[in-house]
Amino acid sequence: MARFALLLLLAGASPAADLAFFEKKIRPVLAERCWSCHSNTAKLAFAGLKLDSKANLAKGSDAGPVLLPGDPASSRLYQALLYTGPSKMPPTGKLPDAILADFRQWIAAGAPWPDDAPAPQPVSQANSASPAKSHWAWQPVTNPTVPPVRRPDWPRNDIDRFLLAALEAKQLAPSPDAAPAAWLRRVTLDLTGLPPTLAEQDDFARHPSPDQVVDRLLASKAFGERWARHWLDQTYYADNIEIGRRVPARHAWRYRDYVIDALERDVPYNRFLTEQLAGDQLEWTSPLERRNNLIATGLLVLGPWPLVNADKEQLRMDVVDLQLDLVGRTMLGLTLGCARCHDHKFDPITLDDYYGMAGIFASTRTLSGRLDLGVFSNVNAVTLPELPEELTARAAETRDYWANLNAAREKLARLRAERKPLEKDTPEAKRLDKEIQEATQTVKLYQYLPVVPPTAHAVQDAETPADCQVNIRGNAHQLGKPAPRSAIALAGAHKLDIADFTSGRLQLAAWITRQDNPLTARVAVNRLWHHLFGAGLVASIDNFGLRGAQPSHPELLDHLAASFVADGWSIKKLIRKIVLSRTYAQASAPQPAGLETDPENRLLWRMSPRRLEGETIRDAMLAVSGQLDPAAGGPALPFWVPGNMNLGSPEFLSDNAKLDPATSRRRSIYQPTVRKGQVEEMDILNLFDFPDTNQITGARSSTTVPTQALYLLNAPFVKEQAAALAKLTLAGDRSDSDRVRELLRRVYARPPDPGEVDRLLSFTASLPARPEAWERLCHTLLIANEFLYRR
C-alpha cells in the first residue's frame, strides 16, 4: 500500500511553486551529491537505489520504499540525510542544515517530481549574458586594492585589512588576541599536527617571536607529514586497490612519501600539479629527479577502481571518469563528472568538453597485469632508476632473503616429515599441525615480499594515443562522434597542441597551471584557508561552479590568489602570511555581537574552535606520552599477520590483520590506510571521521556520537598512553605540585589556572594507589575537550 500511495502522489499534479522549488532546491542536490552512486549512469547503484527519475524513486531500494510523501520523519531517505538511520548519506559528510530543511519541505509537500516538466536548459546553450557565462569563478583573477579601515592600528598585513573592512561594514569588531600559549598550541597543531613540546614552550617564553616559531614549524618534517594528509584526503589515496576487496597496492607508500617530501621542500604548487599529472613526460637531470617524477603520477593510479567489472572497455572508461573527477574537483573546483552523459546541467561544460579531456586519460595506461598470490599488479608497476647505494643494499637484502626463505622452506619440510607418520588427533599431531600452519604462512609471507628493484605505481602513455569518442549516455559500447583532446572551454583558451604520439597530459598540466587560469590558484588558496580556519572563503571547496557557494570575501580571495602566483606558487609563503595575520591570532571565545550578526563566523570576528582529526588526536597522545616513534617513510605494508591468515588470498588485508609492532607507534600517516575501513588498532580513525578513501574529500565532516566517548574511556590505546604519560610524570625527584604543572604543560601547553593544581592533587589523593591515581588523572586530561579541540 505504501508503494502504491507513493506512486499516486508522485504521479499527481503539483502546484507550480512546488515544481519550481524542486527544480531549484532538490534536483541540483540530487545531481551533485547522489547520482554518482544512485542513478542509471552510476557504475553500481548502491542498495539498488536510483534517485534520477520519478519511477526510480518510487521503486525505492532493495529493501523497499525509501520515501513516504507527506511524512519526512518516516522516510528512510530523509533519515539517511539526517544521519539518524542505519544508512548515512552522502557518505562524504552530512548536508548543511539549510539543504536538509529543503528536503523536509519537499517531502512534506508530497515530493513532487515533474517528469513532464522541461529540463533545465544546459548552460552551454545559454547566451553570453547568462549567469553561467558571468559567474565569478570564470572571471580573471584580479589584484584588488586593499580597502581602508577605521582601525589602522589593528591589521598586521593586508589579509587583516580586507577582513577588518568587512567586519566594520557590519558594525562588528574583531576579537582580542589569543593568549600566547593558546596561539602557540594552535599554530603548532595546524602546521605540524602535533602539540608544542616543553622545550618549544620554554623557547617561546624566552623569545616570544611568532615569526621564528612559524619559520621553524614550516621547516620541519612534521609540516610535510601534516599537510600531506590534507592532500591525500582529496586523491583517493589508500594502500589497497578496489572498492570491495582489500587488495594491497604494495608500492603506494612511495606516492605518500613523495607528497610529504614535496610539501616539505615547498615544491611550487604549479610544478607539484605538473609532476602528478605528467611526471613521466618531464625532462630530468638526475636519476633521483626521474624517480620523483615517475612516483608523482601515482596520483592517477591509486584509486578505487571497480575491478570486478568484467567489461574491460567499460572499466577503462569508469577509471577515466574517476580520474577526471579527481582532476576537476581537486585542481579546478569543478564537477566534471556531471558531463559524462549530457552537457552539464549548471556549469558551462559540454559533453564534448568532457570527452575532450577524457581522451587524454583514455590515452594513458593505468591498469595492467593480474592478481597473483595476493600481489596486486593490476595497476602499472614501473621500475625506478636505482641509485648506487640501492644496488649495494639490494644485493645484501637478496642474499638474506634467499637464506631466510630457504630456511623457512626447510623448517616446513622438516615439520611435515615429523607429522606424516602420526595419527590425526594425537596431542603431538595437533601441535605439529599448528606449527605447520604457521611455517606455511611464513613461507607465503616471504614469497609475497621478494626483493625487487625499487618500484612505483605510475602511469604511462598508451602505445597508440587517440581521441575519445563520445560515450552515449556514458555507455562505452554506444559510441558517438570523436571529441578532439582538449581542455574545457570555460576558463580561457582550451585548444591544446597535442601530438599524435602523446596522451596530452603534459599539455593539460600546462593549461591547468597557466597564470591566467582563473580557477587553479583560487581553488588552492581557498583549500589552504579552509585547513587553517575550518572553512574556506568559498565554503564549497570542491565546487566553484554555479551550484557552489559564493565567496564570503571575494576581494581577499583574489588578493591571495594573485599573491600566491606572484610568490612563485609557494605554499609555505602563503601559509606563513596567513598564520602571522592578526585575524589568525584572534581568541576563540564567543562575542555577543558577533553571535547575533554572524553566528556562523563567516566574517571571522573570532577564531572558530574545532575538534582535532582522528589521526591528530592519536599522534598528539603518542607525543605527549613520550611514545611517538619519529621514524619516517617506507612501506606501510605488510601488516603483522596472525598465523591463520591466508596470504594467498587477494583479501590479504583482512579484518584480523594487525599493525607491525615495529612501526605501530609512528605517526598515523605512516600506518596503512585501508579502503574498506581501518583495522581494529586504528579504530580511532574510523570513529573520528577519517574520510572514505573511495571519495574525494576536500572538507571532512566532524560528528559527535556516543561511540567516540566510549572509545576514549575504554580503548586500550588511550589507556596505554595515559599509563605512559603517568610514568613520565612521576619520574624524577620533585614535588607533586611541580609534576601537575608540567603535566598541564605537556597536555594543554599552558600553565595552570588559579587553584587548578590543588584541585588535581586532591583528585590524586582521593585514590589509595598512587600509580593508578596518576594514570586516571592523565587519562582524564587526555580525553577532555581542551585536549581534543584546537582553539
Side-chain angles (χ1 to χ4, degrees), residues 278-295:
D280 58 313
Q281 310 283 311
L282 294 174
E283 295 183 359
W284 49 278
T285 58
S286 69
L288 183 59
E289 184 180 9
R290 174 63 171 161
R291 285 162 60 106
N292 280 339
N293 292 345
L294 291 172
I295 292 168

Side-chain angles (χ1 to χ4, degrees), residues 141 223 231 262-263 265-274 330-332 508-526 528 560-575 577:
V141 173
F223 171 81
W231 180 258
L263 292 172
R265 292 187 291 114
D266 198 22
V267 172
Y269 185 69
N270 56 346
R271 173 74 184 194
F272 182 59
L273 298 186
T274 300
T330 298
M331 301 181 186
L332 300 169
L508 177 64
W511 174 82
I512 288 175
T513 57
R514 282 173 54 142
Q515 291 194 15
D516 61 351
N517 188 315
L519 292 167
T520 309
R522 281 184 177 132
V523 169
V525 300
N526 190 60
L528 298 181
L560 293 173
S563 63
F564 181 51
V565 174
D567 285 338
W569 301 79
S570 169
I571 291 173
K572 287 189 176 182
K573 286 181 180 178
L574 180 59
I575 290 177
K577 188 180 301 183

Side-chain angles (χ1 to χ4, degrees), residues 73-127:
S74 300
S75 297
R76 290 195 295 121
L77 174 62
Y78 188 61
Q79 293 168 1
L81 295 177
L82 288 179
Y83 273 44
T84 59
S87 298
K88 294 175 174 58
M89 293 293 160
T92 52
K94 189 177 178 181
L95 296 173
D97 290 344
I99 295 179
L100 296 175
D102 290 340
F103 271 86
R104 183 178 184 86
Q105 178 179 337
W106 173 62
I107 297 171
W113 189 305
D115 268 5
D116 55 346
Q121 180 188 18
V123 294
S124 58
Q125 300 172 6
N127 61 51

Side-chain angles (χ1 to χ4, degrees), residues 156-231:
R156 290 178 183 160
N157 59 25
D158 288 344
I159 292 174
D160 296 328
R161 295 181 180 90
F162 279 102
L163 286 159
L164 181 58
L167 286 172
E168 291 176 342
K170 294 293 185 179
Q171 308 303 312
L172 292 174
S175 294
D177 291 348
W183 178 87
L184 178 64
R185 184 174 189 265
R186 175 190 301 169
V187 74
T188 307
L189 284 168
D190 280 352
L191 267 56
T192 69
L194 297 171
T197 65
L198 295 178
E200 290 167 348
Q201 294 175 52
D202 291 339
D203 184 64
F204 186 57
R206 288 191 299 267
H207 309 286
S209 169
D211 295 69
Q212 291 181 9
V213 169
V214 171
D215 289 342
R216 171 178 56 79
L217 297 174
L218 289 173
S220 67
K221 181 74 172 179
F223 171 81
E225 294 166 337
R226 164 68 168 171
W227 285 78
R229 184 63 259 174
H230 293 325
W231 180 258

Side-chain angles (χ1 to χ4, degrees), residues 378-406:
N378 215 329
V379 287
N380 272 346
V382 176
T383 301
L384 301 172
E386 287 190 83
L387 305 177
E389 57 269 26
E390 288 179 319
L391 291 170
T392 303
R394 188 155 64 88
E397 289 175 7
T398 301
R399 287 193 300 270
D400 293 343
Y401 168 80
W402 283 109
N404 291 332
L405 176 57
N406 289 333

Side-chain angles (χ1 to χ4, degrees), residues 428-440:
E428 182 74 10
K430 290 180 179 179
R431 179 185 64 80
L432 287 170
D433 285 341
K434 182 178 180 180
E435 292 184 16
I436 288 171
Q437 184 182 34
E438 293 174 351
T440 301

